[in-house]
Amino acid sequence: MPEDTVFGKIARGELPADIVYADDDLVAFRDLSPQAPTHVLVIPRKPIATLNDAGPEDAELIGRLFLAAAKIAQQEGFAEDGYRTVVNCNANGGQTVFHLHLHLLGGRPLHWPPG
Ligand code: DGP
């Protein structure tokens, strides 16, 4: 059940995390294994397992993940230099935690295409 992932526990305050933003619907916290000087994960409190499991009713919520990432990029001071947002989905996408999350990576030039 997606409610039982570590991210569900972080969203419910049952596991500690370095939280940088929270509201009624979203939580953002620093990744334990950062791939850039700033690596933040933005998640909905609603336990959606993967992007495949999001429905039309989640459209606004998913839009808000991106808007929160842009706001955090401003707060972290790299919005103008640039940054990357990523959603990994299932095995080939490299998803390891099955609670939908948006990666925000910034603070250095990022290579493209990714490996
Ligand atoms: P993904 O591969 O897209 O499912 O990304 C999962 C990310 O979550 C990965 O970068 C490591 C991070 N992560 C895993 N467990 C924890 C945790 O307990 N706390 C935090 N802050 N990050 C975690």
Side-chain angles (χ1 to χ4, degrees):
M1 289 290 287
E3 288 94 323
D4 295 330
T5 68
V6 287
F7 292 175
K9 289 183 168 68
I10 288 170
R12 297 193 302 272
E14 296 167 9
L15 266 183
D18 186 353
I19 291 174
V20 298
Y21 176 80
D23 63 26
D24 286 349
D25 300 313
L26 308 179
V27 183
F29 50 92
R30 295 189 194 280
D31 195 294
L32 266 190
S33 179
Q35 303 301 312
T38 294
H39 186 170
V40 168
L41 303 169
V42 189
I43 69 169
R45 291 188 189 274
K46 180 179 177 181
I48 301 167
T50 80
L51 191 56
N52 291 341
D53 300 298
E57 68 278 13
D58 300 312
E60 188 191 345
L61 187 61
I62 289 170
R64 291 188 56 217
L65 295 177
F66 283 91
L67 294 176
K71 187 172 174 176
I72 295 162
Q74 287 281 355
Q75 287 170 359
E76 295 283 324
F78 55 70
E80 297 310 318
D81 285 343
Y83 55 90
R84 184 168 296 159
T85 54
V86 176
V87 176
N88 296 326
C89 185
N90 281 339
N92 281 3
Q95 185 174 7
T96 59
V97 179
F98 289 86
H99 183 126
L100 181 65
H101 51 282
L102 184 72
H103 294 258
L104 167 65
L105 299 140
R108 67 167 170 83
L110 298 159
H111 304 292
W112 190 263

